[in-house]
């Protein structure tokens, strides 16, 4: 089977055909889909999908950096209540995003740090969103890194130096999505420096659809297109890539 390690199935972009979209993914061999949380508003839809597809859909809990505002501490307090009530597969998606707005950069760092420590306490991985923010991400991770820290750099688009830095943390994997299929992407070359046992496949649906669907709505079934490109770049059989990335995903989310 394939595993989509990062997909926003609850997005309003799927309101017209959500159940059919998930069934298309399952039919394409994508048996498991892992859902990152965004904010307080995304939780209900995410939980509903988990109940509707208990064998296929798995929820994370966390506050997306783009949702960090002046009330971030109150929001995190509400999320922590949920984390204490029931198990989640990861704390995510969390991190730092300086692409859209730098107003709350310090708050983003502190929210990131708080949630890292939740994950270490609960012994679950973190799922990192890093956009125009690798130095800031590393600053926090360097301070918080220990044997309990593990997770995923979701939608990884860094360079060879970033790969080396992340591998030094020991406990992290790289989520590779549709960007690897784009003609002008440097990701295929960078991909050659990532060990197979550190690779995961994701869609980030409904965003970042792979070629030949670029510019259209992404969905979990399309994870297969990214997998085919990765297998081609690394010169490994698709069946082997499928097996290894599935083992990697189960290992990070369900150790």
């Amino acid at each position: 089977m394939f595993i989509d390690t990062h997909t926003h199935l609850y997005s309003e972009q799927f309101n017209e055909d959500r159940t059919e979209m998930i069934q298309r993914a399952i039919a394409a061999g994508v048996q498991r889909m892992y859902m990152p949380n965004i904010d307080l508003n995304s939780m209900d839809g995410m939980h509903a999908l988990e109940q509707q597809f208990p064998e296929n859909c798995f929820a994370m809990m966390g506050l997306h950096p783009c949702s960090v505002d002046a009330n971030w501490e109150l929001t995190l307090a509400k999320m922590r209540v949920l984390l204490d009530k029931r198990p989640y597969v990861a704390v995510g998606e969390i991190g730092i995003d300086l692409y859209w707005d730098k107003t709350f950069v310090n708050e983003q760092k502190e929210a990131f740090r708080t949630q890292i420590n939740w994950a270490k306490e609960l012994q679950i991985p973190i799922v990192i969103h890093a956009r125009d923010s690798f130095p800031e991400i590393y600053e926090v991770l360097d301070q918080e890194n220990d044997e309990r820290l593990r997770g995923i750099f979701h939608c990884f688009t860094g360079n060879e130096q970033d790969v080396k830095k992340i591998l030094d943390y020991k406990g992290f994997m790289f989520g590779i999505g549709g960007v690897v299929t784009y003609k002008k992407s440097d990701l295929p070359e960078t991909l050659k420096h990532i060990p197979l046992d550190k690779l995961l496949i994701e869609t980030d649906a409904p965003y970042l659809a792979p070629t030949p669907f670029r510019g259209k709505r992404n969905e979990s079934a399309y994870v297969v297109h990214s997998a085919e490109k990765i297998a081609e770049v690394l010169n490994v059989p698709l069946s082997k890539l499928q097996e290894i990335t599935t083992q990697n995903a189960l290992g990070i989310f369900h150790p």
Side-chain angles (χ1 to χ4, degrees):
M1 65 176 174
F2 285 105
I3 292 181
D4 185 353
T5 58
H6 197 105
T7 178
H8 302 271
L9 300 174
Y10 49 77
S11 168
E12 62 183 15
Q13 293 193 39
F14 298 121
N15 283 356
E16 299 300 316
D17 64 342
R18 182 173 287 104
T19 297
E20 293 82 0
M21 178 269 299
I22 293 173
Q23 289 171 340
R24 281 196 296 272
I26 294 169
V30 186
Q31 295 294 318
R32 286 173 173 253
M33 291 155 267
Y34 289 82
M35 303 179 293
N37 190 53
I38 296 296
D39 53 29
L40 295 177
N41 296 321
S42 57
M43 296 189 301
D44 288 349
M46 180 179 67
H47 290 143
L49 280 172
E50 214 181 24
Q51 291 181 339
Q52 185 180 357
F53 296 95
E55 301 298 317
N56 311 102
C57 297
F58 301 86
M60 310 176 201
M61 182 51 59
L63 180 62
H64 192 289
C66 291
S67 298
V68 171
D69 57 21
N71 297 315
W72 68 274
E73 290 175 291
L74 179 61
T75 302
L76 286 190
K78 294 178 180 178
M79 291 181 173
R80 181 62 207 233
V81 170
L82 288 173
L83 274 165
D84 288 334
K85 279 186 176 179
R86 51 148 289 181
Y88 289 88
V89 294
V91 174
E93 77 189 84
I94 66 175
I96 300 172
D97 188 312
L98 302 181
Y99 178 80
W100 296 108
D101 188 354
K102 299 178 182 177
T103 305
F104 294 105
V105 58
N106 290 325
E107 290 84 353
Q108 286 190 43
K109 287 181 181 180
E110 288 313 304
F112 184 36
R113 187 187 310 278
T114 296
Q115 294 177 95
I116 287 172
N117 281 289
W118 287 356
K120 292 197 293 187
E121 176 191 340
L122 296 168
Q123 298 184 320
I124 55 178
I126 58 173
V127 173
I128 296 177
H129 171 106
R131 191 170 189 191
D132 285 3
S133 61
F134 276 119
E136 292 80 7
I137 293 281
Y138 298 150
E139 175 190 337
V140 177
L141 290 182
D142 285 347
Q143 295 165 358
E144 300 298 335
N145 187 35
D146 62 28
E147 70 281 353
R148 298 172 297 163
L149 181 65
R150 58 192 179 90
I152 300 164
F153 271 77
H154 132 72
C155 192
F156 178 73
T157 53
N159 56 31
E160 182 182 351
Q161 287 69 39
D162 292 310
V163 172
K164 290 179 179 177
K165 174 68 174 175
I166 293 165
L167 288 174
D168 283 343
Y169 290 125
K170 305 300 182 187
F172 281 91
M173 294 191 176
F174 300 79
I176 306 297
V179 175
V180 75
T181 68
Y182 299 169
K183 282 186 178 179
K184 294 184 179 180
S185 172
D186 295 324
L187 192 53
E189 193 57 39
T190 305
L191 195 60
K192 297 173 185 177
H193 300 283
I194 301 175
L196 272 175
D197 64 353
K198 297 293 185 181
L199 270 182
L200 299 170
I201 310 174
E202 62 169 67
T203 60
D204 201 19
Y207 316 108
L208 298 173
T211 304
F213 305 103
R214 188 175 183 182
K216 300 178 180 179
R217 185 191 73 174
N218 201 2
E219 58 179 78
S220 283
Y222 298 168
V223 79
V224 179
H225 294 273
S226 297
E228 289 171 345
K229 179 63 176 181
I230 294 167
E232 174 192 324
V233 169
L234 297 181
N235 194 29
V236 298
L238 183 62
S239 59
K240 180 180 179 182
L241 183 76
Q242 181 182 32
E243 179 183 351
I244 291 173
T245 55
T246 293
Q247 290 175 348
N248 292 346
L250 295 176
I252 192 76
F253 286 119
H254 309 279

